[in-house]
Structures are given as C-alpha cells and as structure tokens.
C-alpha cells in the first residue's frame, strides 16, 4: 500500500500498479492533466517524473493482430529515425523508429520473451521503453481524444 499526502489529507493508493496510482494522483491534483500523447505512427508517450515511457497504441496492436516477436535495438541512445524495435505479427513485420532523440534508454526486455504482454496490454504493461529526451515536445503529438478522432478516419 502506498500513501500520499495532499495538504492535511492523507490518501491510500490501493493498487500495486504504478500506472493505476499515477491515474489516481492525476485525478486528485486536477483531474484533467494530460499524461499521454499519441502520434500518427500509433506510438504513445507519457512523462513520468524525469523519465518518459514509450509504447504502441491499442489500435496498432489491433491492426497487427497477434504480435509474436519483439526485438529491441539495445542501444542506450537513439537519434530520431533510428531503429528502436522490430515487431513481427501474423500480418507483417514492423520496424519502430525513434520518434525523437531518446537517451538513457531502458528497454522492456521482458517483451522479447513474452510478446503476449504487448498483445494483451499495449498501453499499460506492454510499454516498450523508458528514457530521457532532450527534445521531446508535445506540440507535434495528439491528446487521446484527438488520436481517437484520427483513428476513426483510417
């Protein structure tokens, strides 16, 4: 159990999930804070303290169908456009390129052994990597509502 204090009020965060607790904290401090951004390449990025987390959207996974293979670059730093990962599914092979400069990358290597995590929960436990970025800006990315509108046009 995790406790967090807001002024004189102490709250208990019941979940063992960092992401579930983050959602609760977001609600408590404002409720409408934008935590996650999406791009047209069906990636999402979320800022968590000093780090960012990158993943692929549920829509991308639904289009790929079942992902059976994940292979990460393993480089600790990537420039925009460099290969971050390769996925293989029953439909296609897909190379994910770094959408901007990523530094001090920590890949979720568990996905290489268990791609089912990506199929089951791409916007939660199936995240791809954590990193720092000197040049990420949310201006070129969509909020979740705008992304859902974009997906409807495809």
């Amino acid at each position: 159990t995790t406790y967090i204090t807001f002024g004189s009020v102490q709250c208990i965060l019941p979940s063992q999930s960092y992401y579930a607790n983050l959602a609760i904290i977001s609600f408590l401090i404002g409720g409408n804070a934008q935590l996650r951004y999406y791009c047209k390449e069906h990636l999402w990025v979320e800022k968590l303290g000093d780090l960012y987390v990158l993943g692929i959207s549920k829509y991308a996974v639904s289009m790929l169908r079942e992902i059976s293979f994940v292979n990460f670059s393993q480089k600790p730093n990537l420039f925009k456009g460099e290969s971050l990962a390769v996925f293989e599914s029953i439909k296609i092979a897909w190379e994910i390129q770094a959408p901007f400069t990523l530094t001090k990358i920590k890949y979720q290597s568990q996905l290489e052994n268990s791609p089912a995590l990506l199929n089951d929960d791409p916007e939660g436990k199936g995240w791809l990597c954590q990193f720092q970025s000197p040049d990420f800006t949310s201006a070129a990315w969509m909020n979740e509502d705008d992304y859902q509108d974009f997906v409807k046009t495809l």
Side-chain angles (χ1 to χ4, degrees):
T1 304
T2 304
Y3 298 90
I4 188 163
T5 303
F6 293 96
S8 61
V9 178
Q10 187 174 42
C11 301
I12 299 172
L13 299 176
S15 177
Q16 296 297 322
S17 166
Y18 179 79
Y19 293 103
N21 287 339
L22 185 65
I24 292 168
I25 292 167
S26 171
F27 175 77
L28 291 171
I29 63 174
N32 61 359
Q34 177 63 45
L35 298 175
R36 186 170 287 175
Y37 296 94
Y38 296 81
C39 69
K40 291 180 179 180
E41 290 76 26
H42 308 292
L43 301 175
W44 58 264
V45 65
E46 186 173 306
K47 185 160 175 49
L48 300 174
D50 294 345
L51 296 175
Y52 292 89
V53 178
L54 184 73
I56 65 170
S57 70
K58 291 176 189 175
Y59 176 81
V61 170
S62 72
M63 292 295 102
L64 292 170
R65 303 264 168 91
E66 186 176 331
I67 297 170
S68 57
F69 176 79
V70 177
N71 185 28
F72 288 111
S73 159
Q74 302 304 326
K75 290 182 180 179
N77 303 300
L78 293 172
F79 291 106
K80 180 179 180 175
E82 288 189 293
S83 180
L84 173 73
V86 174
F87 298 151
E88 290 182 11
S89 74
I90 58 173
K91 286 184 83 172
I92 63 166
W94 182 30
E95 179 183 30
I96 303 290
Q97 296 178 344
F100 41 79
T101 300
L102 311 176
T103 61
K104 299 181 181 176
I105 301 169
K106 178 187 171 199
Y107 297 95
Q108 184 175 193
S109 57
Q110 186 178 6
L111 292 178
E112 291 180 319
N113 298 325
S114 301
L117 278 174
L118 195 51
N119 296 315
D120 297 339
D121 193 13
E123 295 190 27
K125 294 178 184 177
W127 54 271
L128 303 178
C129 64
Q130 296 178 345
F131 59 93
Q132 293 180 351
S133 179
D135 64 354
F136 172 74
T137 175
S138 63
W141 291 64
M142 298 172 265
N143 65 35
E144 186 170 4
D145 290 339
D146 290 343
Y147 177 71
Q148 294 304 324
D149 291 342
F150 166 70
V151 166
K152 288 176 187 174
T153 67
L154 301 178

